[in-house]
Amino acid sequence: MLNRWMTAGILAIAIIILIGVTQVYAEKNESKAAQLEQLIDTADSVIDNVDRMVIKWQGEGKGDAQAQAVLLAGHLGLEQPVRVRQAGHDVYRSEVVVDMANGGVGLLVNVVDTGDNGYYAIVQISGDAHTDRNTLMTLHEQVDQLLVDSGMKASWNMSVQGMAANATGFDASQQLALIEKDLSKNVDLASVELYIDVASASVSYEASDLPLSIKSGSHMLNMQLAVHQVGEQGNNRITVGFPVITIEY
């Protein structure tokens, strides 16, 4: 079950961020639970069958990386973090699945020693269509408070992936246009960045009603949609990210 939720690439992503691609996310002044609920509702309007939902907190801090990993893991009920080497850095990680009675929630703590008495930490919450949404929102707020109490200035993002009921019979670009048309009935969208190849299509949007944003050039992005054609049957995998997608699509 952990393989379904936790990606091996999380370590590589952390290292990539460390070498100069750290991004700053802006938020509206609302409770974290209210923000998350709005994003889940928006994702539900795009994806009928959720296979994967990832909420990712991340940020930098000063101090001992191992001590920070032990602190975060301990407060979240995870086992003692294990040290591994990744791209020349010590990485301390621990993961578990909790609340199995309500569909299960994956928790991951990943802390990278950046040198010079610094670290970069990721706390990830994962679930799927069977995960209780109230459990997700409660954990989300707990992680927020834990990171604040530990002295970290952290930001968060969310990605949701799955299939749409009408995902068969359209290529990636057609499917994306159909989703955008339906979504625009409830969300004020302005497309900003478009990417299309043989099997994939992706668009980033300004959507000021949504609670998270990230600066890209002269634009503030709030959401990214991507469709990837899977196999030869015309099945399309749909991924939505707030403010951008941070998982493989």
Side-chain angles (χ1 to χ4, degrees):
M1 187 171 293
L2 281 172
N3 288 336
R4 189 155 51 112
W5 289 325
M6 310 298 189
T7 62
I10 189 75
L11 294 177
I13 291 172
I15 299 300
I16 289 171
I17 291 172
L18 291 172
I19 59 176
V21 221
T22 301
Q23 298 173 328
V24 178
Y25 298 90
E27 302 180 32
K28 291 186 176 179
N29 189 22
E30 302 168 330
S31 74
K32 296 300 185 293
Q35 292 177 353
L36 181 59
E37 185 174 27
Q38 182 184 5
L39 297 185
I40 289 175
D41 289 343
T42 303
D44 282 344
S45 70
V46 173
I47 301 172
D48 295 311
N49 304 297
V50 174
D51 297 322
R52 188 178 180 208
M53 182 183 301
V54 177
I55 303 159
K56 190 182 300 179
W57 284 90
Q58 55 194 39
E60 298 174 294
K62 285 293 184 181
D64 183 75
Q66 183 177 16
Q68 180 69 3
V70 169
L71 183 151
L72 295 176
H75 279 279
L76 292 172
L78 281 69
E79 294 184 355
Q80 186 83 0
V82 175
R83 182 177 68 87
V84 297
R85 290 288 290 178
Q86 181 77 15
H89 293 269
D90 285 334
V91 181
Y92 302 90
R93 62 184 284 118
S94 180
E95 56 188 321
V96 71
V97 176
V98 298
D99 200 26
M100 294 301 296
N102 291 307
V105 179
L107 282 173
L108 167 69
V109 168
N110 195 84
V111 182
V112 183
D113 187 339
T114 61
D116 296 324
N117 196 40
Y119 59 81
Y120 196 93
I122 294 176
V123 179
Q124 181 172 293
I125 308 168
S126 305
D128 59 18
H130 304 291
T131 302
D132 181 73
R133 302 300 172 86
N134 289 328
T135 300
L136 279 177
M137 286 186 280
T138 298
L139 276 172
H140 185 53
E141 292 205 309
Q142 287 177 352
V143 170
D144 173 40
Q145 191 59 53
L146 173 59
L147 294 176
V148 170
D149 291 344
S150 71
M152 280 184 59
K153 184 177 182 181
S155 58
W156 65 283
N157 60 77
M158 175 179 167
S159 297
V160 184
Q161 190 171 81
M163 306 294 287
N166 56 357
T168 302
F170 300 97
D171 65 24
S173 297
Q174 292 170 331
Q175 183 74 57
L176 188 61
L178 182 63
I179 294 171
E180 183 178 303
K181 180 179 179 181
D182 289 340
L183 187 60
S184 64
K185 297 174 183 177
N186 300 310
V187 181
D188 187 15
L189 299 173
S191 60
V192 176
E193 299 171 355
L194 172 66
Y195 170 80
I196 298 176
D197 64 16
V198 176
S200 301
S202 170
V203 183
S204 298
Y205 301 92
E206 290 182 335
S208 59
D209 291 340
L210 298 178
L212 302 183
S213 61
I214 184 172
K215 188 172 179 60
S216 177
S218 60
H219 300 281
M220 294 298 292
L221 305 182
N222 305 96
M223 181 177 67
Q224 181 182 4
L225 274 173
V227 178
H228 180 72
Q229 187 170 328
V230 181
E232 299 178 357
Q233 303 301 317
N235 295 320
N236 293 324
R237 182 172 64 238
I238 300 163
T239 309
V240 57
F242 308 98
V244 291
I245 295 169
T246 59
I247 62 175
E248 183 179 359
Y249 64 83

